[in-house]
């Protein structure tokens, strides 16, 4: 699949602000500084589609991007950022939870983890949560350009073990800078949502 067009449609906090249509959706979720905006921009070939923030934890809204006029890429608020209040964290959690529980159009969730670090307790919880709700989950370890070949093997092993990924689970390493394997990734994330 080739991403020909991608456009920002709307930001939402509540359910009544979500787009009203039946196009399938893929949600991207991850820690605040995992590089979510960078990977969305890399996959869509748009430098500024998703705003890359200098301060992690800026995205407090759910952002809907229309891809090829056929499906939505949904950018969920980043979690686990230390410098926000407990109350704020709870409201983000609620925003994400409402979307995950009640969105029929949601077909799969892409969980982003940092390839340089062991997945956090928040990452593990998010992974279990997505699976609990019965969504297909694709795990992508970002910022892989920062690792040596030797470290890549160790990183893969650590992430798979920490998240308890089995052979049937989809797992990729990706660098938004180098973009190696981008086409394969796009096919695996969006390909089966397109009606032939």
């Amino acid at each position: 699949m080739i991403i020909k067009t991608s456009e920002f449609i709307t930001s939402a906090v509540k359910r009544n602000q979500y787009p009203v249509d039946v196009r399938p959706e893929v949600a991207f979720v991850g820690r605040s500084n995992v590089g979510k905006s960078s990977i969305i921009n890399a996959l869509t070939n748009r430098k500024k589609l998703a705003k890359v923030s200098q301060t992690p934890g800026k995205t407090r809204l759910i952002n809907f991007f229309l891809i090829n006029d056929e499906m939505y890429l949904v950018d969920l608020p980043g979690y686990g950022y230390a410098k926000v209040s407990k109350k704020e964290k709870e409201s983000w959690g609620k925003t994400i939870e409402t979307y995950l529980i009640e969105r029929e159009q949601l077909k799969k969730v892409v969980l982003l983890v940092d390839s340089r670090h062991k997945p956090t307790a928040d990452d593990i919880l998010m992974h279990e949560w997505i699976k609990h709700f019965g969504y297909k989950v694709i795990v992508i370890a970002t910022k892989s350009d920062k690792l040596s070949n030797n470290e890549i093997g160790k990183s893969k092993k650590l992430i798979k073990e920490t998240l308890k990924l089995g052979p049937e689970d989809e797992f990729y390493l990706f660098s938004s800078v180098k973009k190696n394997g981008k086409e394969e990734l796009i096919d695996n994330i969006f390909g089966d949502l397109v009606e032939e």
Side-chain angles (χ1 to χ4, degrees):
M1 183 191 131
I2 296 165
I3 294 183
K4 297 188 183 104
T5 60
S6 49
E7 57 179 315
F8 170 73
I9 299 298
T10 190
S11 292
V13 177
K14 302 187 184 78
R15 211 177 335 163
N16 60 4
Q17 299 167 322
Y18 301 163
V20 184
D21 66 32
V22 293
R23 291 182 180 99
E25 295 174 0
V26 177
F28 278 57
V29 68
R31 281 210 324 279
S32 296
N33 53 353
V34 77
K36 192 151 44 72
S37 300
S38 300
I39 194 169
I40 290 171
N41 292 339
L43 293 176
T44 56
N45 262 336
R46 296 273 304 275
K47 282 202 167 68
K48 293 183 177 146
L49 184 67
K51 291 182 177 64
V52 180
S53 169
Q54 294 313 309
T55 41
K58 262 296 214 249
T59 312
R60 290 156 197 209
L61 305 162
I62 298 178
N63 292 311
F64 290 82
F65 301 99
L66 185 58
I67 305 292
N68 289 356
D69 213 25
E70 292 178 309
M71 65 195 89
Y72 287 101
L73 186 166
V74 183
D75 181 10
L76 296 177
Y79 56 79
Y81 189 56
K83 286 187 185 172
V84 296
S85 69
K86 191 169 179 228
K87 194 174 168 199
E88 218 167 358
K89 275 186 187 164
E90 281 170 8
S91 82
W92 287 356
K94 203 86 205 118
T95 302
I96 294 174
E97 186 179 20
T98 301
Y99 174 76
L100 284 179
I101 293 175
E102 299 173 1
R103 192 64 174 161
E104 281 176 32
Q105 292 87 329
L106 181 60
K107 301 305 174 202
K108 56 178 93 164
V109 181
V110 175
L111 175 65
L112 303 174
V113 295
D114 192 323
S115 65
R116 302 166 302 172
H117 308 291
K118 181 178 177 176
T120 64
D122 285 333
D123 292 328
I124 296 167
L125 191 65
M126 183 56 76
H127 184 253
E128 287 171 353
W129 217 31
I130 298 164
K131 292 203 103 155
H132 169 75
F133 288 121
Y135 294 111
K136 180 177 178 185
V137 59
I138 296 173
V139 178
I140 301 177
T142 61
K143 307 183 184 185
S144 63
D145 55 290
K146 308 257 200 285
L147 300 177
S148 68
N149 286 344
N150 187 22
E151 289 168 329
I152 280 176
K154 289 179 184 161
S155 167
K156 276 183 179 169
K157 188 169 183 286
L158 183 63
I159 292 167
K160 284 181 172 177
E161 283 174 0
T162 307
L163 294 178
K164 300 189 172 76
L165 300 183
E168 73 288 349
D169 291 305
E170 287 194 61
F171 173 70
Y172 303 92
L173 279 154
F174 188 73
S175 157
S176 300
V177 178
K178 293 188 174 165
K179 301 181 186 173
N180 293 344
K182 185 178 106 170
E183 286 74 20
E184 180 199 355
L185 201 52
I186 288 171
D187 278 346
N188 288 336
I189 295 172
F190 301 108
D192 57 352
L193 300 180
V194 185
E195 289 182 11
E196 298 304 332

